[in-house]
Amino acid sequence: MGQDQTKQQIEKGLHLYQSNQTEKALRVWRRVLEKSADPAGRFRVLGCLITAHAEMGRYKDMLKFAVVQTDTARELEDPDYLTESYLNLARSNEKLCEFQKTISYCKTCLNMQGTTVSLQLNGQVSLSMGNAFLGLSSFQKALECFEKALRYAHNNDDKMLECRVCCSLGNFYTQIKDYEKALFFPCKAAELVKDYGKGWSLKYRAMSQYHMAVAYRKLGCLADAMDCCEESMKIALQHGDRPLQALCLLCFADTHRSRKDVQTALPRYDSSMSIMTEIGNRLGLVQVLLGVTKCWMIQKELDKALESIEKAQELAEGLGNKLSLLKLHCLCERIYRTKGQQRELRDHVVKFHECVEEMELYCGMCGESIGEKNNQLQALPCSHFFHFK
């Protein structure tokens, strides 16, 4: 298959993919990969396969194609191709919650600097790196990366990148419990979709609606949370977006739990857990198990709660996600206080404070811990943050 035919077939695949005929598109692209003798065409078709598998939540396949794409880039001996392939390696590892590997590949991208194309990818590299630092609960480093990505987006007038960064910032502020900002950023993302997103994939709308739903739930606006989550889920189902379906099910479950409706929450946690397991989102699994633990605690089933905590703790330690460990120690503290088991209680109080110190979650002004309750925060240019008050 020559250069022109390769190009035609790639376009045919893209047309099928955009018409929601994903499996047909994948068949066309795989055939190109087998038959094409054009390395640049093979590189491009691998990019299409990487994106498609990412959106379906087939992250292990995504990683396999990213490895092949890196080999193809080396064959082409072009720094731009190499930077792009390393970015795809970083993204694949980010989706598989291999956060240290993600950071390492992102650093490789930033050190390679080829031409203008590479410079345009820097915003996406910074975003992926920020998401990885957030996965490790390194909040200051995550914020530095997100702000850098936002600067690249503004300088290159890249509205799609700005939209993605706003969603990540929503997630960031949800974690450190500044819920006003956690809502502000996805609302900004939704505005960008409305103003500029006519030709964009619907996933951008779905993503902003999901992050708005999470923030609304945290703020206690449960009806708004349900509306946004339903809108997001509708798009996720239409497009076969398994990762987003899992997140929406988790948000539905959390919302029902906030209403103390454990009977409705638990089956939704189960459905979310099964997709998270299938796609390999281990951090998502920890979040599901945290929700399930809280359900058992509402029902005063403390031994079942401890079982869920044990599973979550093992996963969180493997990922290096310090914030999840802090939350788990906090739940253990409550359980052992109720059970009157003083030794275990003291053990988890000590571990809880160790986690707070490790994450440096203290206000630089008042010395109180950050992320204990909903509080407006202000970030300094150095990415240290403190209580707004």
Side-chain angles (χ1 to χ4, degrees), residues 78-353:
D78 182 314
D80 286 343
Y81 283 129
L82 206 51
T83 304
E84 192 180 326
S85 67
Y86 269 99
L87 171 60
N88 283 326
L89 277 175
R91 277 197 193 132
S92 310
N93 278 288
E94 180 202 322
K95 301 291 185 195
L96 287 163
C97 302
E98 295 286 355
F99 300 125
Q100 293 290 5
K101 284 184 185 174
T102 305
I103 292 161
S104 169
Y105 284 125
C106 285
K107 284 179 178 171
T108 305
C109 285
L110 295 172
N111 290 335
M112 273 184 341
Q113 292 324 329
T115 61
T116 335
V117 181
S118 297
L119 288 171
Q120 282 172 349
L121 289 178
N122 274 356
Q124 295 180 48
V125 174
S126 297
L127 173 60
S128 192
M129 202 168 178
N131 289 336
F133 276 126
L134 191 55
L136 296 169
S137 311
S138 299
F139 296 106
Q140 193 191 332
K141 286 179 179 173
L143 188 58
E144 271 172 34
C145 291
F146 293 145
E147 288 182 339
K148 204 179 280 182
L150 214 46
R151 280 199 298 278
Y152 281 117
H154 290 152
N155 294 341
N156 294 322
D157 200 28
D158 186 341
K159 302 296 180 192
M160 276 188 187
L161 175 61
E162 189 180 345
C163 180
R164 286 168 58 202
V165 178
C166 282
C167 288
S168 283
L169 280 166
N171 184 18
F172 174 87
Y173 282 108
T174 298
Q175 291 193 29
I176 57 171
K177 294 194 179 180
D178 180 344
Y179 298 143
E180 278 76 14
K181 284 195 182 69
L183 180 60
F184 168 80
F185 281 106
C187 283
K188 172 83 176 133
E191 267 176 47
L192 288 165
V193 173
K194 190 164 152 277
D195 295 343
Y196 303 97
K198 209 176 170 193
W200 298 3
S201 153
L202 276 172
K203 75 173 180 186
Y204 287 93
R205 176 169 170 75
M207 200 165 56
S208 59
Q209 293 292 319
Y210 160 73
H211 285 286
M212 281 163 71
V214 171
Y216 274 131
R217 184 189 77 80
K218 293 286 192 181
L219 286 162
C221 308
L222 302 184
D224 291 328
M226 286 301 267
D227 289 346
C228 290
C229 201
E230 277 165 11
E231 172 69 23
S232 184
M233 186 61 150
K234 194 168 75 183
I235 298 169
L237 287 167
Q238 276 170 2
H239 288 258
D241 187 335
R242 300 288 282 163
L244 189 55
Q245 287 169 30
L247 290 172
C248 286
L249 284 162
L250 170 58
C251 186
F252 282 136
D254 283 339
T255 308
H256 289 300
R257 176 175 55 76
S258 296
R259 289 175 171 159
K260 300 285 184 281
D261 183 357
V262 172
Q263 298 311 319
T264 312
L266 283 171
R268 281 155 187 76
Y269 282 127
D270 283 346
S271 303
S272 179
M273 193 183 287
S274 112
I275 301 176
M276 297 281 192
T277 307
E278 170 204 318
I279 65 178
N281 183 352
R282 288 173 292 153
L283 188 52
L285 275 174
V286 174
Q287 289 166 328
V288 172
L289 287 162
L290 275 163
V292 171
T293 301
K294 289 171 186 174
C295 282
W296 293 133
M297 287 170 77
I298 290 168
Q299 294 198 313
K300 307 223 173 351
E301 300 255 19
L302 300 186
D303 290 333
K304 283 185 178 175
L306 286 169
E307 277 173 34
S308 295
I309 285 174
E310 201 179 319
K311 287 178 197 164
Q313 204 164 347
E314 197 179 321
L315 282 166
E317 277 169 1
L319 295 169
N321 186 269
K322 295 184 276 288
L323 185 67
S324 296
L325 289 169
L326 177 138
K327 288 177 179 177
L328 291 162
H329 291 311
C330 187
L331 292 172
C332 283
E333 200 183 307
R334 279 167 56 191
I335 291 169
Y336 288 122
R337 182 169 278 119
T338 308
K339 281 173 160 261
Q341 292 176 232
Q342 295 306 316
R343 196 163 60 94
E344 287 85 351
L345 169 63
R346 277 196 301 276
D347 187 32
H348 286 286
V349 170
V350 169
K351 284 177 178 166
F352 173 85
H353 287 293

